[in-house]
């Protein structure tokens, strides 16, 4: 049991290292697309912030809440709806006919829900979704909650989400601003670390309250977010930083296990301690940003 668990932890660390050769986001770029999708994102804008919204934002980026092929590919809500906007460049052979389009009933992400027709539709922006009363066009519903549940369970073969996880996703989606904004911002390391700190604090709050499945799931999502930072520390000269990040991934994995076994308060304290270390490490990590794939020039050089 313990050996099996250590093996999983080791594979996660190694999986992170292998990822450095290619950023996950490249899997849904159209052929020949430049580095912009990896360098910029729609400008982030939320109407309000709370620990619940922060957790929703974290799960919105977590392929782990989906199942099957989406989880294997590292695909999450945010791939198609980055910052709640529409990804006009999203393209996967077999489910897209043009960039920005996707067939929600396809054999790749859920063979059981495939309708047999190749019928991609435009990926919509979710901004302003709070003010709508009808969702989707392919299988329209009047309940946002039912729609999101359907996306997770039917479109992407995820396991049944807990009511809390759905609450958090809906809180995030509803906090998106009503108006479309076409401005973009650079995806940088400072922002990525600040996200980890904010999501980490929200996860710690949840851990302290309830050591159960939701807390474990939030920790798994946090580890995935850390893995995405790790993937950009690809340069051979960043060995020490990579090792530090990998160690963090292993620690978050162990905390997730503690959370599952009901030791939420201990895990919350340990998570807070890691967040303090991450905050202390921030300047040293930022000092090497120009050698990471957060640097637009470096990013443009790799393929
Ligand atoms: C692979 C791309 C993709 C992923 C991943 C994805 N969506 Fe979507 N989403 C779409 C498409 C395409 C539609 C339009 C479907 C339709 O017209 O029936 C849509 C529609 C929606 C809508 C309805 C919007 C409206 O105005 O009617 C919501 C809400 C939504 N998605 C939320 C989510 C959430 C939450 C997740 C993650 C759990 C997610 N989506 C993951 C592509 C995606």
């Amino acid at each position: 049991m313990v050996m099996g668990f250590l093996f999983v932890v080791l594979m996660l660390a190694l999986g992170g290292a292998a990822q450095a050769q290619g950023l996950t986001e490249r899997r849904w770029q159209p052929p020949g697309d430049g580095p912009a999708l990896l360098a910029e994102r729609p400008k982030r804008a939320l109407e309000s912030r709370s620990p619940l919204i922060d957790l929703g934002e974290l799960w919105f980026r977590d392929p782990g809440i989906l199942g099957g092929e989406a989880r294997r590919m590292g695909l999450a809500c945010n791939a198609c709806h980055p910052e709640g906007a529409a990804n006009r460049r999203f393209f996967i052979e077999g489910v897209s006919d043009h960039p920005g389009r996707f067939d929600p009933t396809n054999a790749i992400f859920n063979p059981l829900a495939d309708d047999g027709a190749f019928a991609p539709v435009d990926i919509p922006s979710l901004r302003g979704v709070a003010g709508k009363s009808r969702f989707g066009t392919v299988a329209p519903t009047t309940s946002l909650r039912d729609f999101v549940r359907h996306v997770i369970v039917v479109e992407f073969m995820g396991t049944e989400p807990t009511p809390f996880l759905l609450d958090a996703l809906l809180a995030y989606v509803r906090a998106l601003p009503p108006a479309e904004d076409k401005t973009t911002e650079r995806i940088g390391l400072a922002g990525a670390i600040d996200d980890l700190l904010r999501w980490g604090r929200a996860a710690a709050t949840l851990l302290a309250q309830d050591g159960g499945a939701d807390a474990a799931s939030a920790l798994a999502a946090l580890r995935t977010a850390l893995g995405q930072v790790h993937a950009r520390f690809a340069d051979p000269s960043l060995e020490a930083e990579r090792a530090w990040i990998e160690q963090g991934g292993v620690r978050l994995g162990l905390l997730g296990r503690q959370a599952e076994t009901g030791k939420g308060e201990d895990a919350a304290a340990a998570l807070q301690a890691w967040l303090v270390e991450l905050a202390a490490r921030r300047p040293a990590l930022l000092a090497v940003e120009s050698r990471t794939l957060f640097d637009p020039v470096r990013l443009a050089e790799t393929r």
Side-chain angles (χ1 to χ4, degrees), residues 59-60 62 65-66 70 75-81 90 92 95 100-104 106 109 120-129 132 134-141 144 147-149 151-152 155-156 169-170 172-173:
W59 274 318
F60 195 78
D62 179 22
I65 68 164
L66 307 178
L75 181 89
C77 313
N78 199 58
C80 291
H81 308 288
F90 179 93
I92 296 179
V95 293
R101 286 164 61 82
F102 173 71
D103 177 0
N106 66 77
F109 291 109
V121 294
D122 284 340
I123 298 172
S125 165
L126 306 185
R127 298 195 171 182
V129 96
K132 293 180 73 175
R134 246 176 96 85
F135 309 96
T137 56
V138 177
T141 81
L144 183 57
F147 189 90
V148 171
R149 182 198 163 270
V151 170
I152 295 173
E155 268 180 49
F156 296 107
L169 276 178
L170 291 178
Y172 168 69
V173 167

Side-chain angles (χ1 to χ4, degrees), residues 71-303:
R71 182 195 283 236
R72 267 192 294 281
M73 284 184 77
L75 181 89
C77 313
N78 199 58
C80 291
H81 308 288
E83 308 300 327
N87 181 357
R88 307 262 174 243
R89 306 173 108 103
F90 179 93
F91 185 88
I92 296 179
E93 193 66 51
V95 293
S96 307
D97 51 359
H98 298 289
R101 286 164 61 82
F102 173 71
D103 177 0
T105 50
N106 66 77
I108 294 179
F109 291 109
N110 186 355
L112 299 175
D114 182 22
D115 62 359
F118 180 52
V121 294
D122 284 340
I123 298 172
S125 165
L126 306 185
R127 298 195 171 182
V129 96
K132 293 180 73 175
S133 53
R134 246 176 96 85
F135 309 96
T137 56
V138 177
T141 81
T142 53
S143 155
L144 183 57
R145 193 180 187 88
D146 290 350
F147 189 90
V148 171
R149 182 198 163 270
H150 183 268
V151 170
I152 295 173
V153 178
V154 180
E155 268 180 49
F156 296 107
M157 290 181 80
T159 51
E160 187 64 44
T162 64
F164 182 81
L165 191 145
L166 271 183
D167 286 346
L169 276 178
L170 291 178
Y172 168 69
V173 167
R174 289 193 175 118
L176 293 167
E180 213 53 64
D181 175 358
K182 297 270 184 255
T183 48
T184 56
E185 61 191 7
R186 188 171 83 80
I187 296 174
L189 178 57
I193 295 173
D194 293 343
D195 283 345
L196 287 171
L197 291 170
R198 199 181 58 258
W199 295 332
R201 282 192 286 267
T205 311
L206 180 61
L207 266 173
Q209 289 163 0
D210 142 47
D214 290 319
S217 162
L219 281 164
L222 192 63
R223 198 180 54 206
T224 299
L226 182 65
Q228 284 163 358
V229 172
H230 178 272
R232 292 192 186 233
F233 278 71
D235 193 79
S237 72
L238 299 173
E239 178 80 51
E241 288 79 7
R242 254 196 323 275
W244 188 82
I245 298 172
E246 280 159 26
Q247 220 183 53
V250 171
R251 274 167 75 179
L252 294 180
L254 292 167
L255 292 184
R257 185 153 167 85
Q258 267 191 332
E260 273 171 354
T261 52
K263 298 194 191 101
E265 268 180 47
D266 294 353
L271 176 57
Q272 292 286 11
W274 181 72
L275 293 172
V276 169
E277 284 174 44
L278 174 59
R281 193 90 184 188
R282 192 178 184 276
L285 292 173
L286 289 180
V288 299
E289 182 172 7
S290 63
R291 280 187 271 146
T292 72
L293 296 179
F294 284 100
D295 185 79
V297 178
R298 287 258 173 173
L299 190 63
E301 283 165 4
T302 58
R303 194 62 184 111

